[in-house]
Amino acid sequence: MVPLRTDGNPVFDAGICNRGANASGEKLRASFPVMGTAALQLLEAQLQDQRKEHEEEVDILKDQLEALREKMEKQQEAFLQTLQLSPEAQVEFGIQQEITRLTNENLDLKELLEKLEKNERKLKKQLKIYMKKVQDYEASLSFAANQDSVQTEKRPCANELTRQVAVQRKEKEFQGMLEYYKEDEPLLIRNLITDLKPQTLSATVPCLPAYLLYMCIRHADYINDDRKVHSLLTSTINGIKKVLKKHNDDFEMTSFWLANTCRLLHCLKQYSGDSGFMTQNTAKQNEHCLKNFDLTEYRQVLSDLSIQIYQQLIKIAEGVLQPMIVSAVLENESIQGLSGVKPMGYRKRTSSTGDSDNTYSLEAIVRQLNTFHSVMCDQGLDPEIIQQVVKQLFYMINAVALNNLLLRKDVCSWSTGMQLRFNISQLEEWLRGKNLLPSGAAETMEPLIQAAQLLQLKKKTSEDAEAICSLCTSLTTQQIVKILNLYTPVNEFEERVTVAFIRNIQAHLQERNDPPQLLLDFKYMFPVFFPFTPSSLTMDSIHIPASLSLEFLNKV
């Protein structure tokens, strides 16, 4: 009989176990007298191994039993403590115990999840390597089979039955999604955003980076990976900001990312599943909609980013055009023969600076506008945004030219008014040729047009004053009076504007209640809006050029 301890557990004596093992060995020798010594020694060794295993199992069970006993004692102590507490304190104590337990379980599960994710990434890498090996092996088999078939054709017909046939893998239908591994995300952002040059995509679909980014987002949505969606969109936005900061004076680069940011914004709307954005979708395009996530908040972030890029684009373009405006619009002689009718005392003056290196013709402004327009069109910028850019630039041309006119006596003359009207007509013709008249750019030039007409009108009688007041509706009272005060006759036969005539003008304009404004704010910027412009392209029709080095993307 096995002796028991006071706690009821059996007492294990090593001496007893050894005597048992020795006895077992003696019984084996007695039971198998015929067996050799080697066989008996083998059986004894196996018996010893089993005994060690049993002892180890007993030790493990003892440890588990001890751990359970300690846990039970702690629970008994906690139970006794709770009995001494008030009912409210008992509830609070129980909640704390439950929170502690759940926290520990959560940490254990989190650690397990991290291990599983690490193992998953490892297995995916291995799977990718093995798939590559399988494809290479299949390709080699196919090549060998083709070689065998060629050789078989040269052999007698009896060998034709032994010809091997290569099994070709059938390509899966491309669903317009791109898969990438999480560790490849920095490489994706670098190749598709931060290191990308617009010139490398000149022969591809406009706004290709935006389409490729959406295809990656769509796959992350397809596998229901919210972390991947969040990480990719955040990295995309930060990457675009980094590029714009680095190229803050590059019109082409800024226009390129304005077009792509707007297109990505349009894609997130067009394929959001919102019926209001799907009215022009085809059945195929509706299959490419997001299934699991609502990215409305990211659409707002992209909209704000688009506004920032637009403002940077305007700032760059204005910085290029502004030094040209005064020389090209006010001073340059576009109409031959007007140099002889300049105001008295200013006929030898050709520019405001007197430096011929800073003189520009109106053709220079037109060429620059052509460059801006062709860049924006080639990069796929929405026509509505192009119209807003042109309108903003024409406003700046009007403001800078008018402000200089209001501050310079040498250009306030009849000849300047005629020259100015001709130059403005050339700019209007450019708008007409580019189908940009609906943009409202021509209307922003109205104050300058009226200033040119004011310089050409008669300024003597009361009827002249009434005509000026009815015509110059886009000029303030201060601006009209200032131009009349600065007006200089072109020759000795032309009379100056009298004080009485100017007072007559002021009397007529008293009822206007114009703001006391003389100069225009040439830095003023019209509010920008980005109308929704869906694309007719389907995601499965987009080709990835090799120049982008995106071989790590897998078509799905």
Side-chain angles (χ1 to χ4, degrees):
M1 183 175 178
V2 179
L4 299 177
R5 295 189 307 190
T6 56
D7 55 0
N9 293 314
V11 177
F12 295 93
D13 190 344
I16 295 174
C17 291
N18 289 332
R19 286 195 299 274
N22 294 332
S24 298
E26 293 174 357
K27 288 179 180 180
L28 283 172
R29 292 189 185 93
S31 302
F32 303 98
V34 185
M35 294 181 63
T37 306
L40 290 173
Q41 289 177 351
L42 178 62
L43 290 174
E44 287 180 3
Q46 291 177 352
L47 186 61
Q48 293 289 341
D49 292 338
Q50 290 182 358
R51 182 178 63 80
K52 290 180 180 179
E53 290 179 2
H54 291 161
E55 288 178 355
E56 291 176 355
E57 291 178 359
V58 169
D59 291 337
I60 293 173
L61 291 173
K62 285 182 180 179
D63 294 338
Q64 292 178 353
L65 185 63
E66 190 67 25
L68 289 173
R69 184 180 292 107
E70 291 178 359
K71 184 177 179 181
M72 185 175 67
E73 289 176 356
K74 289 181 180 179
Q75 290 178 347
Q76 287 178 350
E77 291 177 2
F79 179 71
L80 292 174
Q81 289 177 1
T82 54
L83 291 177
Q84 298 173 2
L85 298 175
S86 62
E88 293 81 3
Q90 289 181 10
V91 173
E92 183 178 356
F93 183 79
I95 292 174
Q96 289 179 352
Q97 292 291 326
E98 186 67 15
I99 290 174
T100 303
R101 184 184 67 81
L102 292 175
T103 302
N104 293 331
E105 286 185 4
N106 192 21
L107 291 174
D108 294 338
L109 291 173
K110 189 174 182 180
E111 184 179 359
L112 177 62
L113 179 62
E114 290 177 353
K115 290 181 181 178
L116 292 174
E117 287 179 346
K118 185 177 180 180
N119 190 38
E120 181 188 10
R121 290 194 295 269
K122 181 180 177 181
L123 292 174
K124 281 184 176 180
K125 284 184 178 179
Q126 293 177 353
L127 179 61
K128 189 175 182 181
I129 294 171
Y130 292 145
M131 288 178 66
K132 180 66 176 176
K133 290 181 179 179
V134 169
Q135 291 174 359
D136 294 341
Y137 179 69
E138 289 179 348
S140 63
L141 285 179
S142 177
F143 177 76
N146 291 334
Q147 291 294 107
D148 291 343
S149 63
V150 171
Q151 293 177 2
T152 306
E153 289 177 358
K154 297 179 181 180
R155 295 174 186 171
C157 296
N159 293 331
E160 289 185 359
L161 295 176
T162 62
R163 182 183 303 170
Q164 294 183 358
V165 179
V167 178
Q168 300 293 333
R169 179 182 293 275
K170 185 177 180 181
E171 291 291 335
K172 294 182 178 180
E173 183 182 359
F174 181 38
Q175 301 178 36
M177 293 186 287
L178 294 175
E179 179 188 16
Y180 67 94
Y181 295 110
K182 185 67 177 67
E183 54 268 22
D184 290 331
E185 183 180 289
L187 182 60
L188 173 66
I189 298 300
R190 184 167 67 250
N191 291 355
L192 202 54
I193 299 179
T194 54
D195 291 349
L196 182 63
K197 297 180 180 179
Q199 296 84 358
T200 60
L201 299 178
S202 58
T204 61
V205 176
C207 303
L208 179 62
Y211 290 116
L212 297 181
L213 287 168
Y214 174 73
M215 292 161 75
C216 294
I217 293 170
R218 183 171 165 244
H219 181 265
D221 171 83
Y222 176 74
I223 62 176
N224 201 17
D225 191 340
D226 57 334
R227 293 184 180 180
K228 195 172 185 180
V229 172
H230 170 75
S231 178
L232 178 56
L233 281 169
T234 303
S235 299
T236 297
I237 293 168
N238 292 335
I240 294 173
K241 288 181 178 180
K242 182 179 179 181
V243 171
L244 295 173
K245 185 177 181 180
K246 182 178 179 181
H247 302 275
N248 59 359
D249 58 349
D250 188 336
F251 183 89
E252 183 178 10
M253 184 68 76
T254 306
S255 173
F256 177 80
W257 282 112
L258 176 59
N260 278 277
T261 305
C262 290
R263 178 48 55 193
L264 180 58
L265 175 61
H266 295 328
C267 285
L268 293 183
K269 290 180 178 179
Q270 183 176 358
Y271 299 106
S272 63
D274 187 342
S275 58
F277 296 121
M278 298 170 61
T279 55
Q280 300 183 38
N281 283 5
T282 63
K284 188 71 174 178
Q285 287 177 319
N286 286 336
E287 295 177 2
H288 297 164
C289 289
L290 300 175
K291 304 296 183 184
N292 296 305
F293 301 123
D294 180 8
L295 302 180
T296 305
E297 293 183 5
Y298 281 103
R299 295 208 306 258
Q300 184 59 50
V301 174
L302 286 173
S303 179
D304 295 341
L305 179 60
S306 299
I307 294 174
Q308 295 175 19
I309 303 173
Y310 173 85
Q311 292 173 346
Q312 179 170 314
L313 185 74
I314 295 298
K315 183 179 179 181
I316 295 170
E318 288 180 344
V320 174
L321 284 177
Q322 189 174 340
M324 303 181 180
I325 295 171
V326 175
S327 176
V329 178
L330 291 179
E331 297 174 351
N332 188 260
E333 185 180 345
S334 301
I335 303 176
Q336 298 298 324
L338 282 181
S339 58
V341 289
K342 285 187 176 182
M344 294 182 296
Y346 299 98
R347 292 181 183 174
K348 292 184 180 179
R349 182 169 182 171
T350 57
S351 72
S352 59
T353 62
D355 186 358
S356 60
D357 293 339
N358 292 332
T359 59
Y360 298 93
S361 64
L362 189 68
E363 288 74 14
I365 287 185
V366 172
R367 283 196 301 270
Q368 191 60 61
L369 289 172
N370 278 327
T371 300
F372 290 155
H373 185 262
S374 61
V375 167
M376 292 187 290
C377 290
D378 292 343
Q379 292 175 348
L381 194 59
D382 295 337
E384 295 84 358
I385 300 178
I386 295 177
Q387 289 182 2
Q388 293 178 77
V389 171
V390 172
K391 178 182 178 181
Q392 187 66 52
L393 295 181
F394 268 64
Y395 168 80
M396 193 265 299
I397 293 173
N398 167 80
V400 172
L402 183 61
N403 287 348
N404 276 267
L405 182 70
L406 292 168
L407 297 174
R408 288 176 53 182
K409 191 177 181 69
D410 62 309
V411 293
C412 286
S413 65
W414 176 87
S415 59
T416 301
M418 191 169 183
Q419 186 74 64
L420 192 56
R421 191 66 191 95
F422 175 77
N423 291 338
I424 294 172
S425 68
Q426 295 296 103
L427 293 174
E428 290 174 335
E429 188 61 32
W430 181 84
L431 290 172
R432 191 174 293 106
K434 300 296 183 183
N435 295 321
L436 290 170
L437 284 177
S439 66
E443 285 77 1
T444 63
M445 303 288 288
E446 195 61 32
L448 194 60
I449 294 173
Q450 293 181 9
Q453 292 172 336
L454 176 58
L455 293 173
Q456 294 178 284
L457 289 173
K458 292 182 179 180
K459 309 167 187 66
K460 290 184 179 180
T461 65
S462 179
E463 289 78 9
D464 295 338
E466 291 180 2
I468 289 173
C469 293
S470 61
L471 180 67
C472 300
T473 55
S474 296
L475 294 173
T476 65
T477 303
Q478 281 199 20
Q479 290 168 344
I480 295 172
V481 172
K482 182 67 173 179
I483 292 174
L484 292 176
N485 280 319
L486 292 176
Y487 184 81
T488 305
V490 295
N491 53 47
E492 61 273 14
F493 302 105
E494 185 180 1
E495 296 181 1
R496 292 185 178 275
V497 180
T498 63
V499 175
F501 184 82
I502 294 175
R503 287 178 178 172
N504 192 4
I505 290 285
Q506 290 175 322
H508 279 87
L509 297 176
Q510 277 183 349
E511 298 178 357
R512 275 199 184 180
N513 295 324
D514 288 334
Q517 177 186 7
L518 178 62
L519 301 180
L520 294 178
D521 181 10
F522 66 90
K523 292 185 178 180
Y524 170 77
M525 191 171 291
F526 295 108
V528 61
F529 64 97
F530 303 107
F532 171 58
T533 309
S535 171
S536 60
L537 288 175
T538 55
M539 296 300 157
D540 54 357
S541 66
I542 293 174
H543 171 71
I544 305 176
S547 59
L548 289 178
S549 301
L550 297 175
E551 295 82 6
F552 56 89
L553 293 179
N554 299 320
K555 290 185 176 182
V556 178

